[in-house]
């Protein structure tokens, strides 16, 4: 990094600089450039990011609150190990919320179709399908969040959004494979059709299967990527 760009980084507004550092670190964790167990100090990170310690500390504490990092008082910061049991619990909660949302949507009269479901159909029941994994991942999360929002309980929707944020870092891995992208389009379309037909049992079965298959694929990919990343020589982060 040049001295000019370093000066620019150091003079940026603390809030925006902290957000930028947060996003970079979160991406490093999500892309397995920082592995579970990796340790570093605030000073090392500040030097690498060409920033003062204040925005670095703010970013680190934000990631700590979200469960990505833990502080070691005598040895700096450490990337937390993947807690698959925790992710399982989050997926279970997500399934409970989404199945209840589908139940409520299927209880509505056939003439009472929320506009959100029509909008979702215009995204997923289409001939021309996206193949951009990150974008499909974003749209997939929006699909499930909007499905819960359409059920009309704001607290359910709020909790569901929080769960979705917590599993986003591994859930997006499901969209690194073309067959899974194609399957997502087909499965979302089938779920929407079952809801439109007010076929509650079918809609709930399709939805639960859709989430559980995705969860299994994500776990398999995560384990593979962790193993592969540990075999690579660590890049120079200086």
């Amino acid at each position: 990094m040049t001295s000019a760009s370093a000066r620019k980084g150091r003079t940026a507004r603390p809030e925006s600089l902290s957000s930028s550092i947060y996003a970079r670190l979160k991406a490093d964790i999500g892309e397995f450039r920082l592995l579970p167990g990796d340790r570093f100090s605030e000073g090392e990170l500040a030097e690498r990011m060409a920033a003062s310690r204040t925005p670095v500390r703010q970013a680190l504490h934000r990631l700590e609150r979200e469960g990505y990092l833990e502080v070691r008082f005598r040895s700096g910061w450490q990337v937390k190990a993947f807690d698959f049991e925790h992710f399982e619990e989050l997926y279970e909660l997500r399934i409970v919320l989404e199945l209840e949302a589908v139940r409520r949507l299927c209880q509505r009269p056939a003439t009472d179709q929320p506009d959100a479901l029509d909008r979702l159909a215009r995204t997923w029941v289409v001939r021309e399908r996206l193949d951009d994994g990150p974008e499909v991942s974003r749209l997939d999360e929006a699909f499930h969040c909007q499905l819960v929002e359409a059920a009309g309980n704001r607290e359910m929707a709020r909790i569901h959004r929080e769960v979705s944020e917590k599993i986003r870092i591994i859930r997006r891995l499901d969209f690194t494979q073309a067959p899974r992208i194609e399957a997502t389009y087909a499965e979302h379309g089938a779920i929407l059709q079952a809801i439109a037909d007010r076929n509650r049992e079918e809609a709930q079965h399709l939805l639960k299967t859709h989430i559980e298959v995705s969860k299994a694929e994500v776990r398999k990919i995560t384990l593979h990527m962790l193993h592969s990343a540990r075999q690579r020589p660590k890049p120079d982060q200086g």
Side-chain angles (χ1 to χ4, degrees):
M1 178 176 285
T2 66
S3 58
S5 58
R7 286 196 300 273
K8 182 178 179 182
R10 293 182 188 275
T11 57
R13 292 184 61 186
E15 308 84 32
S16 61
L17 188 53
S18 174
S19 295
S20 175
I21 294 168
Y22 162 85
R24 287 175 62 183
L25 284 173
K26 192 171 183 179
D28 283 345
I29 294 169
E31 298 296 333
F32 301 96
R33 291 187 290 269
L34 281 173
L35 296 176
D38 281 356
R39 296 185 179 187
F40 51 88
S41 70
E42 289 180 8
E44 291 168 347
L45 190 59
E47 182 67 25
R48 181 155 64 92
M49 297 289 183
S52 67
R53 290 199 181 196
T54 297
V56 166
R57 190 175 297 116
Q58 290 171 341
L60 291 172
H61 280 296
R62 183 176 172 186
L63 288 164
E64 181 189 22
R65 288 193 300 272
E66 293 179 5
Y68 298 109
L69 300 175
E70 55 190 353
V71 64
R72 299 290 186 177
F73 292 106
R74 295 187 182 276
S75 56
W77 293 81
Q78 180 172 308
V79 181
K80 288 185 71 172
F82 269 102
D83 185 347
F84 283 107
E85 183 177 348
H86 180 56
F87 283 117
E88 288 281 341
E89 292 172 350
L90 290 172
Y91 268 95
E92 287 176 8
L93 176 55
R94 178 188 166 200
I95 288 172
V96 168
L97 292 170
E98 294 191 30
L99 291 183
E100 174 60 17
V102 165
R103 186 188 71 80
R104 294 183 179 211
L105 289 168
C106 288
Q107 280 186 330
R108 293 188 176 192
T111 54
D112 183 13
Q113 177 82 339
D115 292 339
L117 298 186
D118 292 331
R119 290 195 298 272
L120 288 174
R122 290 195 291 272
T123 298
W124 296 101
V125 187
V126 291
R127 288 176 179 244
E128 295 185 9
R129 299 175 172 181
L130 300 175
D131 58 7
D132 180 341
E135 178 63 11
V136 176
S137 175
R138 185 188 68 79
L139 291 172
D140 172 74
E141 183 174 321
F143 170 88
H144 291 275
C145 287
Q146 289 169 27
L147 202 63
V148 176
E149 289 169 6
N153 186 304
R154 289 176 294 181
E155 281 301 298
M156 280 176 55
R158 178 187 62 78
I159 294 169
H160 183 270
R161 284 193 301 272
E162 291 177 358
V163 171
S164 297
E165 163 64 22
K166 290 176 180 177
I167 64 176
R168 182 182 298 156
I169 192 169
I170 63 167
R171 179 175 167 185
R172 64 178 180 77
L173 296 176
D174 198 24
F175 302 97
T176 58
Q177 305 173 91
R180 292 296 305 147
I181 293 175
E182 284 294 313
T184 296
Y185 272 94
E187 291 163 11
H188 284 186
I191 291 164
L192 289 171
Q193 186 60 56
I195 294 172
D197 293 340
R198 299 302 189 263
N199 189 336
R200 179 185 61 79
E201 289 187 3
E202 178 70 3
Q204 289 183 321
H205 171 72
L206 289 169
L207 179 65
K208 186 177 182 184
T209 302
H210 168 67
I211 295 173
E212 288 181 338
V213 168
S214 174
K215 179 181 67 174
E217 287 294 319
V218 162
R219 184 185 180 105
K220 182 169 64 177
I221 295 168
T222 301
L223 289 169
H224 172 73
M225 291 184 73
L226 281 171
H227 175 76
S228 298
R230 287 194 176 103
Q231 307 309 308
R232 295 196 304 261
K234 291 188 71 66
D236 179 14
Q237 296 191 1

